[in-house]
Amino acid sequence: MGWFWADSTQSSGAPHPISSSNATPPPECPMHKAFSQSAPRSLPPSTSSGSCPVRAPNEPMPSSRSSTISTLNPLNYMPASLSQSRDDRQTIHLPTERETSSIPRGDTEMNWEYPSPQQMYNAMLRKGYDDTPEDAVESMVAVHNFLNEGAWAEIVNWERRFSRGLGLGWQACRRGEEGFLEEVDKIANSRDVAAPKLLRFQGRPNEMTPKARILDFMGRMYPAKYGCEPPFDRHDWYVQRQTPDGLTKEVRYVIDYYSAPPEPTGEPVFYLDVRPAIDGPTAAAERMMRWGGDVWYRASGAKVRDTATQ
């Protein structure tokens, strides 16, 4: 879902609405393995190693065998530049206008940009997906953009709870998901912090998260209760958190993308499981507080009592 490009050219267009008639990505879409289990005909060889994948801005890239890595932007692990030119095999016109997302970037005062349909098509050809229907590319871009915006909204909700510390985070969680908005407004007035920003991201579709593995195992053991398709994509987003003390902290979020049966109207349905990665005790506490606060609020009868007093 993270087909952002990291150059700074701005576009003033608003996001395309997703219509029920053409929003479903076709089977050839490389970001939706749930719709097709076939692999692309040609993929570039892996260049991963044991070294850190994100290099310092001024660090020179290794020569010769690392030439593929040297062409990738370390902010999004995508080609640093991709042509807006029409491919020789292309039969229809694809727009070259790019849309600006609502997601702030950590390195500039601007927001991240989504690729144009032409760039998306060129990227898929570059990855070996040369059987992608050209007339479906615009719908694919619209779905990708929509899911990215949804993922960011979930991250913002996590940050609204915990960017001010665990103490105020528990206050925001103690009345469960239903009481979140009322509680978070209270803590927002007590300690103001800047909005989060997206520093960089990485798609890892072939690496299931531990939670996704557990759910997949439970689905195989108890298909009637837990059965569902595994996520069709996984992303890691690195977010800049601003603390009340004026310090910044990098927080890694993991996102599992699930598809579900479409609505009766034909509109596609997706589920996003967004949570901070357990890279330390703070992230583990945040996840436990949010999950535990919601369970306790409903199981203890507090929800019923609050409803009765209203």
Side-chain angles (χ1 to χ4, degrees), residues 20 25 85 98 131 160 187 194 210-211 233 248 266 295 299 309:
S20 60
S85 301
R98 298 174 57 185
D131 54 352
R160 292 179 69 189
I187 66 174
K211 182 177 180 181
D233 200 9
T248 59
V295 171
T309 58

Side-chain angles (χ1 to χ4, degrees), residues 77-235:
Y77 303 91
M78 296 295 293
S81 62
L82 196 60
S83 173
Q84 292 266 33
S85 301
R86 178 170 175 153
D87 188 82
D88 293 338
R89 293 163 286 181
Q90 194 172 327
T91 59
I92 67 173
H93 170 76
L94 291 174
T96 58
E97 292 78 16
R98 298 174 57 185
E99 297 170 0
T100 302
S101 75
S102 66
I103 306 173
R105 290 176 55 168
D107 58 340
T108 70
E109 295 301 319
M110 297 182 292
N111 289 2
W112 287 87
E113 286 188 312
Y114 296 119
S116 69
Q118 184 66 62
Q119 285 179 311
M120 174 74 85
Y121 184 69
N122 290 342
M124 289 187 293
L125 292 179
R126 189 167 179 167
K127 288 179 176 287
Y129 296 93
D130 52 4
D131 54 352
T132 302
E134 298 169 19
D135 57 357
V137 173
E138 289 189 67
S139 297
M140 291 162 55
V141 171
V143 172
H144 293 154
N145 298 359
F146 173 77
L147 292 181
N148 278 320
E149 294 294 325
W152 182 248
E154 289 295 318
I155 289 175
V156 169
N157 280 337
W158 278 98
E159 291 296 304
R160 292 179 69 189
R161 286 173 170 89
F162 296 108
S163 60
R164 297 168 178 84
L166 292 179
L168 291 176
W170 169 248
Q171 182 177 331
C173 295
R174 64 183 181 179
R175 293 181 57 202
E177 297 295 313
E178 295 183 16
F180 159 66
L181 291 177
E182 183 177 342
E183 293 296 328
V184 81
D185 286 341
K186 296 178 183 177
I187 66 174
N189 294 330
S190 61
R191 304 183 74 180
D192 189 29
V193 295
K197 297 182 178 182
L198 178 60
L199 298 172
R200 65 187 187 280
F201 58 90
Q202 181 180 15
R204 303 170 66 180
N206 298 321
E207 301 177 49
M208 291 182 67
T209 62
K211 182 177 180 181
R213 289 183 182 276
I214 293 173
L215 292 176
D216 185 55
F217 173 77
M218 295 295 290
R220 295 175 188 272
M221 295 293 294
Y222 308 100
K225 186 173 183 180
Y226 297 101
C228 68
E229 292 291 330
F232 60 79
D233 200 9
R234 175 256 178 103
H235 269 204

